[in-house]
Amino acid sequence: MQIAEQAKTGAAAAGLTERQGAVLERALGLLVEGGERALTTAGVARAANCSKESLYKWFGDRDGLISAMITYQAGKVRTVEVDARALTTESLRKHLVAFAGDLIDVLSGDVSLALNRLAIGQASREGAGLGRLLQERGRRQIGKRAAALLEAGRKAKLLAFDTADEAYGTLYGLIVSDMHLRMLLGEDAAGLKKEFSPRAEKAVDAFLSLHGAKG
Amino acid sequence: MQIAEQAKTGAAAAGLTERQGAVLERALGLLVEGGERALTTAGVARAANCSKESLYKWFGDRDGLISAMITYQAGKVRTVEVDARALTTESLRKHLVAFAGDLIDVLSGDVSLALNRLAIGQASREGAGLGRLLQERGRRQIGKRAAALLEAGRKAKLLAFDTADEAYGTLYGLIVSDMHLRMLLGEDAAGLKKEFSPRAEKAVDAFLSLHGAKG
DNA sequence: TGCGTACCGTACCGTACGGTTCGGCATCTT
DNA sequence: AAGATGCCGAACCGTACGGTACGGTACGCA
């Protein structure tokens, strides 16, 4: 597990008070538990033992609160870099499999699913502000890690592709397929995770058979 | 374009009056235009020149209205069967490419995106009822077509795979990658469609290089 | 001791929504 | 002609939400 949730560092990373971080934590809990309908200002205030006045002072707005929740949650995710030297066929494969597992873990996480549902629900009105934010702070991070890994593989002459983005798209599709959407639509996340995790190795094998340099 | 929207047949297919179908059409228009927030009972009644009383008589409930919208919209989609005989390597590839294009068309459609957003937004509360409905009536249909095509390819000794479902998952992932999610999050659908459509052929080539029977 | 600051809890306000009810009109049936 | 049916438009009701205002309290500081 190379992507960990470090609950206590999320607040400081976003320049927030410890108290404000705790409030956001409670708000995320409400969101996970009851969806957007449960994320009312009164509900957050009650659950976090703070006043609505403070909520509006700190976050300005309900949308501001939601944005803060997204960046706060994104601040928990930390990626690891892989050194380009000493990449063998087998170690690359291991790295890719580990990445696939982490990707599935992230996408199937309670909070991730709840935030994605929230952003998607708001995507129609209000020009995709939350969607972009979620994309930028969430997906971009893990995407960078994948791109770095792929570039390292290419430098080591173990992978061949035109652009890292396109290769990452292929890898992502092979790993995730429609798992994420089905989870978002409410299908049992744990069950889908169990169904897709064993396929991670097959997905990596398929990716290597498509983009592996040798053979 | 083998999957067409046949607006006038949607109503009859679901056992609805012509008038009721027109109302659902207007409701879908409202949903596409303004998202879930715009889908109010009063708004639908006003836009469709009908009374709220009739809405509740016909559909019972706001959720009933939404369910009716989903099945009504699903009734528009019609798939085509491919005859298993006379499949050559090249015709199979053409069928797969056509399927990929249709899949992208369906997923990037206005109404499809709006309904998926709606179902995802409601997925947290109310145990995934709309999500299952959308999955059943929408995805299942096009999935059957893909499965039939893949089975035909296997019978013609042109494809090799363990289960059609798994192969379809691979094909789907190669074609769609994260396009659908990005659209749902509000990224410009037309732009993404233009970005992914040219990659449909590459995706099919990759799929054939993974599951094509002949070396 | 007095003052400012930050905060909580609650009450309040305007609005908007889901759902119901009712009066009126047009069409159909007998 | 008279009732029944189906529907529209509008008014209505209860509730819930976002946002604001206010009284009260704990704490830091001069």
Side-chain angles (χ1 to χ4, degrees), chain A residues 70-110:
Chain A
I70 291 180
T71 65
Y72 171 78
Q73 174 67 14
K76 295 182 188 172
V77 178
R78 192 159 309 283
T79 74
V80 294
E81 301 298 326
V82 54
D83 50 350
R85 321 156 301 172
L87 255 193
T88 71
T89 306
E90 201 47 38
S91 75
L92 173 63
R93 187 177 176 284
K94 275 216 167 91
H95 273 109
L96 286 173
V97 169
F99 171 80
D102 289 353
L103 180 59
I104 291 177
D105 281 344
V106 167
L107 294 185
S108 63
D110 283 1

Side-chain angles (χ1 to χ4, degrees), chain B residues 37 39-41 52-53 56 61-62:
Chain B
R37 316 289 291 215
L39 196 70
T40 68
T41 57
K52 288 172 70 174
E53 192 181 14
Y56 283 93
D61 201 341
R62 185 177 184 262

Side-chain angles (χ1 to χ4, degrees), chain A residues 185-188, chain B residues 119 122-134:
Chain A
L185 279 171
E187 220 167 315
D188 172 49
Chain B
Q122 311 249 345
S124 28
R125 61 166 178 172
E126 183 190 356
L130 290 185
R132 252 200 313 270
L133 187 62
L134 198 63

